[in-house]
Amino acid sequence: QPARVKYATMYSATLERLAENAFACGSFDAALNLGLDLLAIDRAHESASRLVMRCFGALGRRSQALAEYESLRAYLQKHLGTTPMPETTAAIRTLVSRL
């Protein structure tokens, strides 16, 4: 079991780095797909949600960025009894104000 957790963590970290690199290079579709892969592994992965929201914003898909935030918010409330981190809330506010 420890090796499995180690490799799962390494895989997630690699996906996140690849996604951030793709976003930085302007490959928003690729970054979005990698971010969605991360969320499929861990729905509560807030930095992946922020990346997905940024990708949707960069692609001009504002409603989907907002839907991602709402989906994350609902998941965190239902499964963890918490709310998104301030960075996540600030990210969606910034994104909405720019679009």
Side-chain angles (χ1 to χ4, degrees), residues 1 4-5 7 9-10 12 16-17 25 27 31 42-43 56 71-72 76 79 84 86-88 91 96:
Q1 199 64 310
R4 176 182 252 172
V5 171
Y7 293 127
T9 302
M10 289 171 55
S12 291
E16 189 167 10
R17 281 194 304 275
C25 292
S27 298
D42 178 7
R43 186 61 190 103
F56 281 137
S71 176
L72 172 68
L76 292 174
H79 296 281
E87 303 96 278
T88 305
V96 169

Side-chain angles (χ1 to χ4, degrees), residues 46 50 84-92:
E46 284 200 56
R50 287 191 298 272
M85 294 188 296
E87 303 96 278
T88 305
T89 303
I92 195 63

Side-chain angles (χ1 to χ4, degrees), residues 21-94:
N21 256 358
F23 188 88
C25 292
S27 298
F28 304 123
D29 285 319
L32 175 61
N33 288 327
L34 290 164
L36 292 172
D37 287 347
L38 273 168
L39 291 176
I41 294 167
D42 178 7
R43 186 61 190 103
H45 194 302
E46 284 200 56
S47 63
S49 281
R50 287 191 298 272
L51 172 71
V52 166
M53 289 186 289
R54 289 191 342 254
C55 289
F56 281 137
L59 293 166
R61 295 158 62 181
R62 178 180 181 244
S63 63
Q64 287 175 289
L66 289 167
E68 171 55 31
Y69 177 79
E70 284 304 317
S71 176
L72 172 68
R73 189 195 58 71
Y75 180 89
L76 292 174
Q77 184 61 50
K78 180 178 180 179
H79 296 281
L80 302 174
T82 190
T83 58
M85 294 188 296
E87 303 96 278
T88 305
T89 303
I92 195 63
R93 284 185 181 144
T94 300

